[in-house]
Amino acid sequence: MKFSYNWIREFVPGLTQAAGPLERLITMKTAECEGIEETGALLGNAQVVLVESVEPIAGSHNVKTQIDAGPLGKRTVVCGAPNCRAGMHAVWTPIGKKVVSGVESDGMLASASELGISRDHAGILEVDTIAGLVPDAAIEIDNKSITHRPDLWGHHGMAREVAAILGLPLTDPAKLELLPEGPAAIQVMIEDYALCPRYSALVFDNVTVGPSPLWLQYRLTSIGLNPINNIVDLTNFLMAELAQPMHAFDADLLHGDTIFVRTAKAGEHFRALNDESYTLDAANLVIADAAGPIALAGVIGGGESAISDKTTRVVLESANFQASSIRKTSAGIKLRTDASMRFEKAQDPLNTVRALARAVELLPLVSPGIRLVGGVADACGPLAAPPVIELSLAWLARKLGRTLASGEVRRILESLAFTVADMDADTFLVTVPSWRATKDVGIKDDLVEEVGRMIGYDSITPEAPLAPVAPPPANPARRMQHDVRNLFVDNGYTEVYNYSFLSEADVRAFGMDPNDHLRVLNPIAEGQELMRSSLLPGIWNNVKENLKYRDSFRIFEIGQEIHPNETGLPSEVPHLIAAVYDRKETGLFELKRMAECLLPGAQTKPAQGREYEHPARAAEIHWRGELVGRLFELHPRMMETGRAAILDVNLARIAELGEAPTKYTPIRRQPSSAFDLSVVMVNRQHAGDVRSAIAEYANPLIESTNYLWEFALPDGKKSVSYRITVGSPERTLPSEEIMAIRADIIAILRELNYELKV
Amino acid sequence: MLDESIQELAAGALQRIAMAGTAEELEAVRVEVLGRKGGALAEISKGMGKLSPDERKRIGAVLNQAKQEIETALDARKATFEAVALAAKLDSEWLDLTVPAPGPRRGHLHPITRIQRELEDLFVSLGFAVLDGPEVEDEYHNFDALNIPADHPARDMQDTFWLSGGNLLRTHTSPVQVRGMERLKLPLRMIAPGRVFRNESVDASHEHTFYQLEGMMIDRNVSVAHLLYFMKTLLTAVFQRDVTVRLRPGYFPFVEPGFELDIQCLICGGPGCPVCKQSGWVELLPCGLVNPHVLRQSGIDPDEFGGFAFGLGLTRLVMMRYSIDDIRQLQGGDLRFLEQF
C-alpha cells in the first residue's frame, strides 16, 4: 500500500522529518517500507498562466503559443495538445528551453498526467488555480508486513504510528458531531450479525456527479488510485484515509427503501461494477434491495445501482463485515479489491460512523449543494468489549531481556492509544483500542511487541542463553544419507537436485500410471502436475541434457519418492539414484561395485528387464536377504546416443535393515590351501550360479570362493575358473581332506550338469 | 716354481676378469680358475700333498691369497655387471607421469548440500537436534498449528501448492517445529533443513522449490536478548566474520513478537552499495519468540516455557556465498554448473 507523505503530515502537524528518514523510522518500528516515489514533482515550480496567442507551425501538429507568466514575463512555448487555445488558463512548468518543431520552446504547458494530478493526458490542464497542490512523496509499505494491522490500511492509522514514533500529537479527521440526528431515510436489515456486525448508511440528495476537484484527484493519483468521479473518488478517499471501505449506490436505482444484508441464495446471479456476472451461493454475503443483490458485501458493488452522470440521490454505505466471510467470497470468485483486502484484515466496527462523519464534512466540497436526507441508518449487532490485558512489568522485562521504567512502558502504550491503568506495583491493566482489538492484539505477548518495537530492538543487549549441556538426539537416517553422498562423491559422482514434480509423459515413459500419483491441483506449469513416485525421470532428463556436453559422466541424486496412501499423508521414501553415462561402454559393473561398496555383501540377481530397461541388462540388488534396489541399463530406445547405467536403491529399506554388527575373529594361524576349478558353461549361464552352488554346500572349511576369469570356448560355451580356499582355524588340513572337499564340489557341480575340466 | 705358476695363474685370471665383457665370460673365468672340479687352482692344490709340511703351509698361504684376490675381483666385477643390468632394466621402465591417471576424479556435492551440512555441523555442536519432516504436509501442521487458521490472510503470504487428497506441499520448514514439539522432550533445541515449495513463477531470482533451515529453542525464560545473541553467534559462524545484526518488526503468525533480521551489508559494511540497495542492511531471515498459541497447540504451557524460532533461507545463503546469479541453476542438473562446487 502506498502512503502519501503530505496526507500523513495533515494528521501529524509537527512532522518535520522528510520522507526518506520517516521511511527508515517506519521500517524499524512499524512495517517494512519498500521505497519512496516522488509524486507531483513538476508542481514545485508550476504556475497558472494565460495563453495569449496560438499560431500554427507549418508542417507540424504542434502550435506556437505566447504565454503570460506574470512576474516571470512572457514566454514562447510549443504545445501539441488539441485543447490548446488562446485565452485559456493553463499550467506552465519551467523545464528549460528546447527546440521543438523548429521553434525554441521555453518550458512546457502541462497535462494533468504530467503534473501527477490524474492520469488524464488527453490535453493540457485548463485551470484557474493550483493553490495547495505541492510535490508529494508516496511511501510504499509491503502489504505482507501489515497483514495483521487493519488500522494501517488507512493514512490515519499510519499517522498514529508516526506520531507515536516521534512523540508528536495526532489529529483526528472524523468529527462524530457532524452526524445527522433523527430517523434515517433508509432501513437496514441484517440477517446475521456474525457475518455483518454493523451496517451504517446515509442518504444524500441534490448530488451533482462530475470530475473531482484537483486536490482529491491528486491525492488518489499519488497513492496509485484512479480518479473516476467525485462521488466514487470520495468513497476511495475515505477508505484510504480511515481504512473504512465505502460504497455509494444511486438511490433512485434501488428498489424499495430497505437494504438487506443476507447470504446469497444458491444460484443467485449478480452483475458487478466490473461488468462481470457472478453466480452466487449461500457462502456469499450480499447487500440486496427488494429486487435482488445490489452489492457483493465487502467485495464489489453492483452494475445496476452504480453512480452515473444522471445520479442525483446517493445511499452511502459504511459497513463492517466478518473477515473470513469476505475472504472466502473474494477467493471463491477470484476477485480481490481494495475493499476486500481491507475487510479480510478484520476492520473495526466502530469505524463505520467515523467514516460517515468524515463524508458529511467532505461531500459538500466535492459536490456543492449536496444535501443530507434524514439521520444515520445504523444497524449494529452486539459489539465485543475491548480486551483488557494484564501486563506484568517483570514479565515484560524477562521477555525482552531488558528492564524498563514503568513510566516508559505507559508512555509507549498510551501513544499507541492503549488505555493503561495500574493493577498493582508491577502490573498494568491495558485496554486495547477498538481498531487493534479485532484480531491483532489480544494477549500480553502482543504488548511485548508494541513496547519492544517502540523502544527499538537495538536497545536490547544480546545475552547468551543458559542452556543445559546435552548431546542432541541423533538422526541416523540423515547421517546415512550424508555417508552415501560422501561415498558417491569420492568415487567420482556429482550430486544433482531435481524437482519433485513430474509430467504425465515422464511417468508414462517409465511404465507408471499417472493415476497412481499424487496430483498437484494448482500446478505452476504444464508438465509439473504429478508428485514424483520415482527419481528415474529426473535423472534420465539429467543424462539427456548433460550428454550434449560430455562423452562420459557420473551423477547421483538422493530424494524422496512420494507414494499416495488411502488416507493421511503419503509415504515419502528416500531413494538413491546413480547414473553412469558413457558414449560406448556400459557403466553397469562400475555401479555394481558401488552397490557393493554401499552394501557390503550385496547380491546382484538377474532380472527380467522392464519396458524402459535394456532387456538383457537388468538385475535386482539384494542385501541382507531383502530386495533393496535395481541395477540396469536404460533401454537404448530411451537414449539418442550412448549407454546409461542406473542404480536405484531404497535408502529407507537399507536404514531399516541396518548394517551387520561388526564381529572380530582372530587372524588364522594355520595356513590355508587353495585349489582352482574350471567349469564349462553354456554362454548365457550365470557365472554366479557356480558360486551359489558352492555356497549352498556350506562346508565350514571353505574360507572363500573367488571368481578368477573366464574365456570363450567353441560351440557357444565358456570356461569359468574359480579359486576355492579352504582351511581351519585349529589345524592344518591334510591333503586328503582338501582333496575330499574338492571331490565333493566337483560332484555337486556335475550333479547340476556342469562340465568340469579335471 | 709352484709359487710362480700360482702367481702367473692369478695374474692371468685377474686380467681376464678385468677384461670380461659379460656376466657369462666372468662365470667362465670363475669355473676355469676356482671350479672345484678341474679348476686351475684346484689342480694345483692336488699336487700339494707331495710337499713337505713347511712348504705345504707356505704354498697353501700363497694359494689362499691368490684365491681371495680372484674372488674379490670376481665379486666386484659381478656387482658392476649387476648394477649396469639393473640400471638398464629400470631405465626401460620409464613412465610418462604427465599422462593423466585413469579412473574418475572426485565428484561434487551439490552446493546446497555443502552449506546445509556446514550448518548442521554447527548446530549439532551447539546441542541442536537435526530433524526431518515430510515434504507433503497436512494443513494442520503447515498452517493451523502455526496460528494460521483457514481464511486467515496470512495464508496469502505463502502461495501454496494443493494436492489431491487434501494435503499440500509444505510452504516452509516451520511445520517441523510443530513435529519437534510433539516429539522431543523439553527443553528442546532443534533445526530442520529441507525442501519447501511455493506456487510462484520461476525466474532468475524466484523458484517454486527451494531450501530452508528452521530453527527453534524452547526453554524457561527465553528472551529477545537471547535471540539476538544466538543469531549474532550463528551468523558470525556462517559468514566466518563478525556480523552486525538488527531486528525490526515483521509479521509471522507463529511468533510474537516477530522480527525481520537484517545483517549489516557484508559488501560495503554499512555506507550503502548496490547489493544492499544503498541501505547498508540486507534482509536475511525472519525470526521471533514462539507465539504462545503455537506452544499451547503443541501441548506446551506458555507460562512455563517460551522460545525463539527462526527460518534461514538456505538457498538464498548458498546464492550469497557463491555469488550465484540464477536460482534456476540449483535444480537444473547441469554438470557445467555443479562441477564448480
Side-chain angles (χ1 to χ4, degrees), chain B residues 37 50 164 232:
Chain B
K37 286 177 184 166
K50 300 167 195 157
S164 53
K232 196 173 154 56

Side-chain angles (χ1 to χ4, degrees), chain A residues 27-32 144-145 147-148 323-324 327-328 336 344-345 398-401 439 443-446 448-449 453 457-458 460-470 472-473 475 478 481-483 485-486 488-501 517-524 528 531-532 542 546 549-550 553-557 560 562 568-570 572 590, chain B residues 104-110 112-113 116-117 120 124 127-138 151-157 160-164 167 169 179 184 187 189 193 195 197-201 207-209 211 217 219 221-226 228-229 232 246-251 256-260 283 289 291-293 303 306 330-336 338-339:
Chain A
T27 291
M28 290 309 292
K29 308 229 176 223
T30 300
E32 184 167 328
K144 285 178 186 173
S145 73
T147 303
H148 58 313
S324 62
R327 191 178 149 76
K328 251 184 253 171
R336 301 198 75 205
E344 67 173 32
K345 311 294 187 292
R398 268 211 311 282
K399 281 283 164 190
L400 287 172
K439 216 169 209 180
I443 54 174
K444 57 188 176 178
D445 300 76
D446 297 325
V448 176
E449 172 147 56
R453 66 193 178 95
Y457 295 115
D458 55 355
I460 297 172
T461 311
E463 185 192 335
L466 278 173
V469 177
N475 185 339
R478 189 173 272 267
Q481 291 186 12
H482 283 325
D483 289 346
R485 285 190 177 95
N486 285 348
F488 277 80
V489 166
D490 288 347
N491 281 282
Y493 293 75
T494 293
E495 187 180 22
V496 297
Y497 281 23
N498 283 303
Y499 291 128
S500 303
F501 304 120
H517 288 72
L518 212 53
R519 200 169 272 277
V520 183
L521 299 179
N522 54 340
I524 198 116
Q528 305 193 346
M531 296 307 296
R532 61 177 176 181
N542 299 142
N546 282 298
Y549 313 105
R550 303 284 153 101
F553 54 84
R554 299 165 179 80
I555 51 177
F556 77 101
E557 181 179 11
Q560 312 280 73
I562 296 175
L569 291 178
E572 295 186 17
E590 198 188 305
Chain B
R105 299 290 89 83
R106 197 163 198 277
H108 304 265
L109 280 176
H110 194 280
I112 293 178
T113 302
Q116 182 181 316
R117 273 200 201 176
E120 283 179 22
V124 168
F128 280 64
V130 183
L131 298 190
D132 291 305
E135 290 172 5
V136 176
E137 263 296 3
D138 50 41
D151 300 317
H152 192 289
R155 288 210 177 180
D156 289 345
M157 292 161 76
T160 309
F161 283 114
W162 295 92
L163 301 177
S164 53
N167 291 314
L169 289 176
R179 295 183 179 277
L184 298 179
R189 276 169 280 172
R195 177 177 274 210
F197 308 84
R198 302 264 173 99
N199 196 335
E200 276 186 27
S201 309
E207 250 291 5
H208 54 62
T209 301
Y211 285 76
M217 169 168 173
D219 208 330
N221 294 326
V222 175
S223 72
V224 177
H226 295 143
L228 268 170
Y229 175 91
K232 196 173 154 56
R246 73 172 189 191
L247 298 179
R248 56 189 171 80
Y251 172 62
E256 187 67 55
F259 312 112
E260 289 284 4
E283 184 176 318
L289 297 187
N291 191 305
H293 294 310
D303 290 328
L330 293 167
Q331 267 132 165
D334 190 331
L335 285 168
R336 295 171 300 174
L338 295 167
E339 284 173 355

Side-chain angles (χ1 to χ4, degrees), chain A residues 245-249 270-278 280 285-288 293-306 317 321 326 329-330 333-341 343:
Chain A
M246 313 273 285
H247 184 67
F249 299 100
F270 169 67
R271 192 173 69 79
L273 274 172
N274 58 3
D275 276 336
E276 296 281 333
S277 281
Y278 300 97
L280 308 177
L285 190 68
V286 294
I287 313 302
I294 53 171
L296 196 49
V299 182
I300 192 165
E304 266 121 56
S305 56
E317 163 195 301
F321 302 108
I326 300 303
T329 294
S330 157
I333 65 165
K334 296 191 171 59
L335 177 65
R336 301 198 75 205
T337 58
D338 287 320
S340 74
M341 262 162 60
F343 279 125

Side-chain angles (χ1 to χ4, degrees), chain A residues 680-753:
Chain A
V680 176
M681 307 174 90
V682 177
N683 264 347
R684 292 266 169 128
Q685 276 181 316
H686 295 118
D689 293 351
V690 170
R691 213 190 132 92
S692 310
I694 297 172
E696 241 167 75
Y697 164 52
N699 187 321
L701 296 176
I702 297 180
E703 283 175 22
S704 65
T705 304
N706 286 321
Y707 171 92
L708 293 177
W709 55 71
E710 64 181 65
F711 57 87
L713 297 173
D715 306 325
K717 290 185 176 176
K718 60 182 174 183
S719 165
V720 186
S721 299
Y722 282 91
R723 174 159 298 163
I724 293 129
T725 307
V726 294
S728 159
E730 291 97 25
R731 60 203 171 86
T732 306
L733 296 185
S735 64
E736 304 80 57
E737 206 171 342
I738 297 167
M739 290 315 285
I741 294 172
R742 184 168 178 273
D744 279 352
I745 294 174
I746 290 169
I748 289 165
L749 293 176
R750 284 198 168 132
E751 185 91 348
L752 293 168
N753 287 324

